[in-house]
Amino acid sequence: MKIDRRTVIQGLCIAGTAGAFGVGISFLARKSESKTLLRPPGALEESDFLASCIKCGQCIQVCPFSSISLLDLSGGINTATPYIDPVKRGCYLCDLFPCILCCPSGALDDEVQKIDQVHMGVAYITEHKNCLNYKNTKVSKENVDRIKAHGDRTELEKELNEKLSAQVGKDCELCSKSAELNRETAPLNSSERNR
């Protein structure tokens, strides 16, 4: 077999392209592993969810609050899978769970039919010194003004700031009511996988 210069150059180009592709895939895989995402209600364990989700986007289309988004290219291999960013807009746990009902692949468990069956994550307090409920301190106008000075970046923040303003002179129950938790049962430093 005669090997000419053209064959050698083609072989090197193919090998270089395959090597670059392999490095890119491994980079995306590592990038995907480093993320902890909040998945829609009823999501299976992460590995099962990723194996089941067909990235159809139906859960996003039926969400009445636009709480569910698709992961962009920064998601690595998980690109185009649904997630919830609670800072932008949290999940309102609709009565009928339309996201679960429309999931054709079973990535969202249709056995989940009640709000108390949903375990999407656990909020935790990072700085106890700033938590009024933890310190057993009543909400003051100064507390509200200090928080409002940062502005309302999202509709959810605006809504929470309005609720906090209504609690001036009372015990702060904003987080515990929002998360349907109380100080005795709320794990302050833990995280829980999706369900």
Side-chain angles (χ1 to χ4, degrees), residues 15-180:
T17 302
F21 184 73
V23 168
I25 290 293
S26 69
F27 171 74
L28 288 175
R30 278 195 305 267
K31 193 172 187 178
S32 299
E33 290 172 3
S34 67
K35 288 195 174 231
T36 302
L37 298 168
L38 192 60
R39 298 296 187 179
L44 303 174
E45 289 296 321
E46 187 70 6
S47 60
D48 295 331
F49 176 79
L50 292 173
S52 301
C53 180
I54 59 173
K55 303 175 182 181
C56 64
Q58 288 185 31
C59 54
I60 295 155
Q61 294 172 6
V62 300
C63 180
F65 296 101
S66 300
S67 298
I68 305 173
S69 302
L70 277 183
L71 234 110
D72 59 15
L73 289 175
S74 68
I77 291 175
N78 302 338
T79 296
T81 56
Y83 77 102
I84 295 173
D85 183 346
V87 174
K88 289 182 182 173
R89 187 158 190 92
C91 178
Y92 286 80
L93 297 174
C94 311
D95 289 341
L96 298 175
F97 295 115
C99 53
I100 295 174
L101 290 174
C102 78
C103 181
S105 67
L108 302 180
D109 185 3
D110 58 5
E111 296 292 317
V112 175
Q113 297 179 359
K114 296 180 182 173
I115 289 176
D116 60 353
Q117 293 175 300
V118 176
H119 304 289
M120 291 174 61
V122 177
Y124 61 93
I125 299 169
T126 56
E127 295 185 35
H128 296 109
K129 66 181 182 183
N130 295 329
C131 174
L132 299 176
N133 193 356
Y134 191 81
K135 297 188 305 185
N136 276 334
T137 304
K138 298 204 181 298
V139 177
S140 68
K141 178 135 176 47
E142 292 78 31
N143 298 129
V144 173
D145 291 341
R146 181 174 49 86
I147 292 168
K148 282 189 172 184
H150 297 286
D152 300 326
R153 292 178 291 185
T154 65
E155 284 298 314
L156 183 59
E157 273 189 30
K158 182 178 180 182
E159 184 181 319
L160 291 173
N161 284 338
E162 288 171 4
K163 286 181 181 179
L164 184 64
S165 296
Q167 291 187 340
V168 171
K170 302 175 189 171
D171 290 332
C172 182
E173 298 176 333
L174 186 63
C175 298
S176 59
K177 280 188 177 177
S178 295
E180 296 182 347

